[in-house]
Amino acid sequence: MIDHEKVEQAVRLLLEGIGEDVNREGLIDTPDRIARMYEEIYGGMEEDAGVHLMKTFTVESSEMVIEKDITFYSTCEHHLLPFYGKAHIAYIPDGKAVEVFARRLQLQEQLTGQIADALMEYMQPKGALVMVEAEHMCMTMRGIKKPGSQTVTLARRGVFETDPTLEERFFRMLGR
């Protein structure tokens, strides 16, 4: 649960720390605005992915299902800067699990694995594969300063770890 008052205090200290006047007109309401924004963008910390992943239905086919181009926004836990991109998932009927894990301080590698693990735990498929492609503002705004560069992570579980033809089919279905 976000502590609104503590976030406001922290933002005031941060603004003072970078030399700003927290009482000037443009900044007076900034601590409250940021605290309210944090309630929204870090709301996934309290959410359970299982709630979304338990909404399943029975089908006769055991063919691979892919949900692709699931847009997500997250925040790098190392620099507190955004990273965002697309996730592609095999064996899932909807993209809700991505948002649950993205809406918290996160590392892309960790995000990818958490989604795959949640799929395996709650959907209990024969296997799951998750690919995440993201642009990291900590690499765009600072560090290597290369806008548009993408970090790609992959997590394989179950039959995807042992059957390379399934992974090949996944990439063909994504058009890669």
Side-chain angles (χ1 to χ4, degrees):
M1 182 73 134
I2 300 292
D3 185 327
H4 197 93
E5 188 176 314
K6 280 188 176 182
V7 171
E8 284 190 43
Q9 291 170 351
V11 171
R12 280 189 202 90
L13 284 172
L14 175 66
L15 291 170
E16 289 172 356
I18 63 172
E20 276 290 354
D21 174 5
V22 295
N23 295 311
R24 76 175 171 84
E25 184 180 351
L27 293 178
I28 289 174
D29 294 326
T30 297
D32 175 60
R33 279 193 295 271
I34 290 177
R36 284 185 285 119
M37 177 186 70
Y38 280 6
E39 289 170 352
E40 180 180 343
I41 67 174
Y42 299 127
M45 294 177 69
E46 301 298 320
E47 274 191 81
D48 177 7
V51 170
H52 302 291
L53 293 173
M54 288 184 174
K55 296 174 186 171
T56 62
F57 53 91
T58 303
V59 294
E60 297 300 318
S61 173
S62 61
E63 291 296 318
M64 182 187 314
V65 175
I66 292 181
E67 183 75 22
K68 68 181 196 172
D69 296 328
I70 303 165
T71 301
F72 73 90
Y73 301 91
S74 193
T75 306
C76 170
E77 67 182 34
H78 291 162
H79 302 99
L80 297 182
L81 287 172
F83 68 95
Y84 56 92
K86 305 264 185 202
H88 315 287
I89 297 172
Y91 286 108
I92 183 171
D94 68 29
K96 295 290 186 188
V98 174
E99 189 172 317
V100 169
F101 293 115
R103 291 178 54 203
R104 39 183 93 169
L105 291 178
Q106 195 58 276
L107 296 174
Q108 182 175 333
E109 300 86 344
Q110 184 175 282
L111 171 67
T112 308
Q114 286 173 338
I115 296 166
D117 291 341
L119 292 173
M120 293 301 288
E121 179 179 350
Y122 296 108
M123 304 280 299
Q124 299 180 347
K126 293 178 183 176
L129 187 136
V130 177
M131 183 173 108
V132 174
E133 304 170 297
E135 181 170 346
H136 292 247
M137 296 306 289
C138 55
M139 292 171 55
T140 298
M141 296 175 64
R142 54 161 304 280
I144 65 169
K145 296 180 183 166
K146 299 293 181 200
S149 63
Q150 296 274 305
T151 300
V152 179
T153 52
L154 196 67
R156 298 175 196 85
R157 302 292 187 268
V159 294
F160 280 101
E161 294 177 286
T162 58
D163 187 348
T165 60
L166 287 174
E167 185 176 330
E168 290 169 16
R169 187 198 283 161
F170 173 79
F171 285 115
R172 277 196 315 274
M173 290 174 77
L174 286 181
R176 293 190 167 54

